[in-house]
Amino acid sequence: MTAFKKAINIFRKKATRLVTSGLLDKQSVNFSSSSEVKRVLITRPNHRLGNQLLITPLVKEVHDQFPEAKIDLFLKGDLGGLIFENYDYVNKIISLPKKHFKELGRYLLAWTKLKQKKYDLVINAEASSSSGRLSTKVSRAKHKFFGFERHHNLITCQDGAHISKYPIYSLRYFLKQSLTAEVLPSLEIKLSSEEICSGRKLLKQYANLNKPTICLYTFATDKKCLEKVWWSNFYEALDKLFPNYNIIELLPVENISALDYKIPSFYSKNIREMASFISQTSLVITGDCGIMHLAAATQTPTVGLFNVTNKDMYGPYNTGCLNIDVNLKNELEICLSIKTHI
């Protein structure tokens, strides 16, 4: 990105935040019946895989709250259709292009589409998102929930800090409901029976299906990416502690390996194919990244390794998941923690 584009982006974000800064006052609404809500829009215009997967519990919550409603999504990038492929109650996905300047026409068209339909309720999935607040403001709706930023300190549930759970608690607060009355929906990418069968066939090419399989994903962005030496030491410890397991590496789109391809490695650019493959493994161990959330979304036990980000806020969210701060334990200690956990 050029310096000019960076400057424009910074200006755009500041301008958007200024325009929407007054929209975050405490809000609430009380529907006499769930049938009042027939059309809902959830907005999360962020292109990252993890951020879009993390709203799947909110989408499920809205469906549970308003079972007769059709849900539209306002997203960014081209992953939405893949992530919500088997969500029958998701009606329409409006997507901003990932790069505004390269696809300005599509960018403007998406905002135009946003204005064309009227909703009973619009929900901003992330209160701190300026583009989320702006899209909520621009949309046509009888009721709008802009979200509660965390400094309001309205959500005091023990797990309320989690980025996927906080919007659900906030919505319940907005709807004047008990925050702990119902179990929170899980993170989920809904795989078809055909996809699950395909995942098993793929795994068979790399592993002995008579043994459980540990899947390693050794890539993450920027400072979240652990060094090759760390992964090499970790693998050696893991291999010794889990002699009766297959250990396979799942490769990123860049097709690189922190283990220098010394163990069987699976590569795919298709996130649903990756999810199908992961779903047939017994455990996924990964750094903080979108694939971590993809693994959790398949209901596979997932270990998230954190070195810079807050594990309580961004950790894998589902039954059987474990978050570990790698700054507090060495590679062997982490492996022992995993062995105890599973």
Side-chain angles (χ1 to χ4, degrees):
M1 184 182 290
T2 66
F4 174 73
K5 287 183 179 180
K6 286 183 179 178
I8 291 295
N9 271 330
I10 291 171
F11 173 79
R12 176 180 58 82
K13 290 178 180 179
K14 287 183 177 179
T16 302
R17 195 168 188 87
L18 180 64
V19 169
T20 60
S21 61
L23 302 175
L24 297 173
D25 294 332
K26 295 181 181 179
Q27 316 153 64
S28 65
V29 68
N30 191 12
F31 295 107
S32 58
S33 170
S34 64
S35 62
E36 288 184 54
V37 180
K38 303 290 189 184
R39 298 173 300 277
V40 178
L41 175 70
I42 298 175
T43 175
R44 184 64 169 111
N46 184 290
H47 71 276
R48 294 187 180 278
L49 172 64
N51 284 331
Q52 292 195 23
L53 284 165
L54 284 165
I55 69 167
T56 58
L58 176 63
V59 173
K60 292 164 71 175
E61 171 78 8
V62 171
H63 175 64
D64 290 343
Q65 295 270 5
F66 307 107
E68 297 179 27
K70 288 291 185 180
I71 302 171
D72 288 356
L73 304 175
F74 187 67
L75 305 175
K76 188 176 183 180
D78 300 316
L79 294 176
L82 295 171
I83 292 171
F84 294 97
E85 183 174 308
N86 292 324
Y87 279 72
D88 296 337
Y89 43 86
V90 171
N91 180 53
K92 183 179 181 182
I93 297 176
I94 305 170
S95 293
L96 293 168
K98 183 177 176 180
K99 297 183 179 180
H100 305 164
F101 295 101
K102 287 188 175 181
E103 298 181 78
L104 187 58
R106 181 183 164 195
Y107 176 77
L108 296 174
L109 179 61
W111 284 102
T112 301
K113 287 181 179 179
L114 188 63
K115 291 284 292 182
Q116 291 176 343
K117 191 171 181 179
K118 189 173 182 180
Y119 296 95
D120 299 308
L121 175 63
V122 174
I123 300 166
N124 177 25
E126 177 50 56
S128 64
S129 167
S130 56
S131 55
R133 295 197 301 272
L134 181 60
S135 54
T136 304
K137 181 177 175 63
V138 167
S139 63
R140 298 168 58 212
K142 184 175 181 181
H143 300 284
K144 297 182 179 183
F145 177 46
F146 291 92
F148 303 120
E149 287 209 82
R150 286 168 172 78
H151 66 255
H152 285 147
N153 296 319
L154 299 177
I155 309 304
T156 57
C157 302
Q158 186 175 2
D159 58 350
H162 195 277
I163 191 170
S164 194
K165 299 178 182 182
Y166 185 84
I168 297 175
Y169 286 130
S170 296
L171 178 64
R172 292 179 181 181
Y173 189 101
F174 173 72
L175 297 173
K176 298 181 179 180
Q177 298 173 346
S178 169
L179 303 188
T180 58
E182 301 291 339
V183 176
L184 272 63
S186 62
L187 199 73
E188 185 178 11
I189 183 167
K190 296 179 182 290
L191 296 172
S192 67
S193 57
E194 291 81 6
E195 287 175 314
I196 292 172
C197 182
S198 175
R200 187 162 182 81
K201 290 178 180 178
L202 286 170
L203 181 60
K204 189 177 181 180
Q205 299 175 29
Y206 298 87
N208 178 358
L209 296 185
N210 294 319
K211 298 198 299 183
T213 297
I214 295 175
C215 182
L216 303 179
Y217 186 77
T218 62
F219 185 78
T221 56
D222 301 325
K223 294 180 180 180
K224 294 188 291 184
C225 191
L226 298 168
E227 296 180 354
K228 291 180 67 173
V229 172
W230 189 95
W231 277 111
S232 181
N233 293 337
F234 177 77
Y235 168 71
E236 289 182 9
L238 189 73
D239 190 40
K240 290 178 181 177
L241 283 175
F242 294 87
N244 298 318
Y245 281 70
N246 305 305
I247 303 179
I248 292 177
E249 185 177 9
L250 178 66
L251 301 176
V253 67
E254 293 83 359
N255 198 9
I256 57 178
S257 167
L259 297 172
D260 294 324
Y261 306 97
K262 68 181 178 182
I263 63 173
S265 55
F266 174 73
Y267 178 76
S268 175
K269 291 183 179 181
N270 186 312
I271 66 163
R272 294 197 69 86
E273 185 174 62
M274 293 173 71
S276 299
F277 180 86
I278 289 169
S279 74
Q280 298 306 297
T281 64
S282 304
L283 179 70
V284 177
I285 304 173
T286 169
D288 176 19
C289 60
I291 299 301
M292 177 184 71
H293 298 298
L294 182 67
T298 70
Q299 315 304 311
T300 302
T302 303
V303 176
L305 304 174
F306 290 80
N307 61 341
V308 291
T309 44
N310 184 338
K311 62 185 180 65
D312 294 328
M313 185 172 184
Y314 296 104
Y317 159 31
N318 265 339
T319 303
C321 292
L322 176 66
N323 308 324
I324 297 177
D325 185 340
V326 301
N327 300 301
L328 303 179
K329 297 181 178 182
N330 63 35
E331 294 89 337
L332 177 58
E333 290 170 336
I334 292 171
C335 290
L336 288 170
S337 295
I338 294 170
K339 190 175 181 69
T340 301
H341 177 71
I342 64 173

